[in-house]
Amino acid sequence: MEIIRALPELRQASARLRAGGRRLALVPTMGALHQGHIALVRAGRGAADAVAVSIFVNPLQFGPNEDLSRYPRDEAGDLRKLREAGCDLVWMPEIATMYPPGAASTIEVGGPAEGFEGEARPGHFRGVATVCTKLFCQTQADVAVFGEKDWQQLQVIRRVVADLDLPLAILPHETVREEDGLACSSRNIRLTPEQRAQAPLLPQRMRSALTRIASGEPPGPVLTEAVSDLTAAGFAPDYLALVEPETLRPWQSGPGRLLAAARLGDVRLLDNMALD
Ligand code: PAF
C-alpha cells in the first residue's frame, strides 16, 4: 500500500495503477475510519482493479462554529485498517497542497444542496463539492464510492459530476449500521455511553414512521409525532422530512427518502431511509 502526501507522486502512482486500461476506484474520507468506510473500500475493489482512499479533514466544509478541531483523527489506526482491507494507495495531502495560498476557486451547487444540511451548515456543500472535484481530478479515478449515509451529499456529488461532465462514475453504497441499528459514523465515538444507548431510537422512530406512511397514513402528522417522541427522549431534532430521492423536493408519490438530523448532546446524528 503506497502512502502519498505530494501531488507529483500521486499523479505517477495513479498513472501506474491505471496503466493498460486498468480502472481505479477512489473512496474519499476524512479519516477516523470505521466499518462503513471499509465496506466502501471493498465495494471499490469490486468495481475496479485498484482502490485509492483519500484521508483529508477538509476545513472548507466546516463552518466557524463547527467541530473541525475536535474531528476525530487516527492516522495509525486508519492505515492499519486500510492495509487489512487491501487498499492500494492512500492519498493524505496537507492543507497547503489542497488549498495553496491564493486559492480562490470553489464550486457552488444549487438544487439538491439547498435546504437540510445546506441550510443548517451554510457553505458546507461548497466545501464538499470543491474538495471532491479536486480529489477526482488529482487521482484521475474512474469511479468514486460514496456511502448513502450522507444522502444529500451523495445527490450533490452526482449533480456536480453530471453538471461538470466529470469523467467518472459515482457508486453509492448502502448505509452500514451497528448491530443496534445506529448508522456508523466517525462522530459516534463522541457520544457518551448514555447517549450511545439512546442513539438507536432515531433509526427506530424513522423505521416505524416509514411503515405507517407506507401503509397509507399522511406523512405530516406521522413525522410530527416522531419528532415529539424524539424530543421527549432527549434528542434535539433539526429535521425529519420525506423528500423525492434525487431532487430532495417534498415527496409527492412513489419512491421517497426520509432524511433526519438530530442532536444528542453536542453530537449531530444524520440518517436516512428509503420509502419504497
Ligand atoms: O463524507 C465525508 O467524509 C466528506 O464529506 C468527504 C466526502 C470525504 C469530503 O470531504
Side-chain angles (χ1 to χ4, degrees):
M1 184 174 85
E2 287 187 79
I3 300 164
I4 298 180
R5 298 176 196 265
L7 210 39
E9 283 80 47
L10 176 67
R11 295 219 164 100
Q12 286 167 12
S14 164
R16 263 198 316 275
L17 291 171
R18 299 180 71 238
R22 283 161 48 93
R23 284 163 56 82
L24 176 64
L26 170 69
V27 179
T29 82
M30 297 205 298
L33 303 180
H34 50 67
Q35 47 171 334
H37 293 112
I38 301 306
L40 302 186
V41 176
R42 297 218 172 90
R45 289 215 71 82
D49 301 293
V51 185
V53 172
S54 60
I55 299 181
F56 179 64
V57 182
N58 175 32
L60 208 62
Q61 68 188 73
F62 289 79
N65 301 320
E66 292 183 14
D67 54 359
L68 173 62
S69 60
R70 286 180 305 147
Y71 198 84
R73 291 162 207 252
D74 177 16
E75 186 176 315
D78 289 348
L79 294 177
R80 181 180 43 77
K81 289 173 195 165
L82 290 177
R83 259 191 207 100
E84 284 167 13
C87 172
D88 297 281
L89 184 165
V90 188
W91 170 223
M92 301 181 76
E94 300 293 336
I95 292 182
T97 304
M98 295 303 278
Y99 305 116
S105 308
T106 55
I107 294 178
E108 198 67 51
V109 193
E114 289 162 3
F116 307 109
E117 294 309 288
E119 197 175 312
R121 307 179 65 187
H124 172 66
F125 286 124
R126 183 189 312 124
V128 170
T130 303
V131 80
C132 288
T133 305
K134 286 174 70 82
L135 293 168
F136 299 160
C137 295
Q138 292 166 341
T139 59
Q140 302 279 294
D142 301 280
V143 49
V145 193
F146 285 84
E148 289 185 348
K149 151 88 174 30
D150 295 301
W151 184 262
Q152 188 175 13
Q153 169 172 282
L154 173 63
Q155 305 318 314
V156 168
I157 295 299
R158 282 176 156 155
R159 196 64 266 158
V160 170
V161 168
D163 290 349
L164 302 184
D165 304 313
L166 300 180
L168 82 168
I170 299 300
L171 179 68
H173 190 281
E174 66 181 13
T175 302
V176 177
R177 295 182 181 277
E178 303 288 353
E179 270 180 19
D180 58 12
L182 179 66
C184 292
S185 163
S186 304
R187 290 184 169 99
N188 290 352
I189 55 171
R190 285 182 26 220
L191 294 166
T192 64
E194 295 74 29
Q195 290 165 347
R196 178 62 192 80
Q198 189 78 328
L201 195 65
L202 179 64
Q204 283 161 20
R205 284 288 173 278
M206 292 172 70
R207 207 168 287 289
S208 58
L210 280 173
T211 306
R212 288 170 60 184
I213 295 166
S215 69
E217 288 191 54
V222 171
L223 297 180
T224 305
E225 198 183 310
V227 166
S228 305
D229 286 356
L230 289 166
T231 308
F235 289 78
D238 273 352
Y239 54 79
L240 188 61
L242 187 61
V243 298
E244 298 283 331
E246 284 177 24
T247 62
L248 308 195
R249 297 206 189 101
W251 178 74
Q252 302 296 330
S253 61
R257 205 85 197 177
L258 182 60
L259 304 183
R263 248 169 232 286
L264 250 190
D266 65 354
V267 180
R268 195 148 176 278
L269 300 175
L270 285 191
D271 206 338
N272 70 86
M273 288 177 191
L275 172 73
D276 291 316

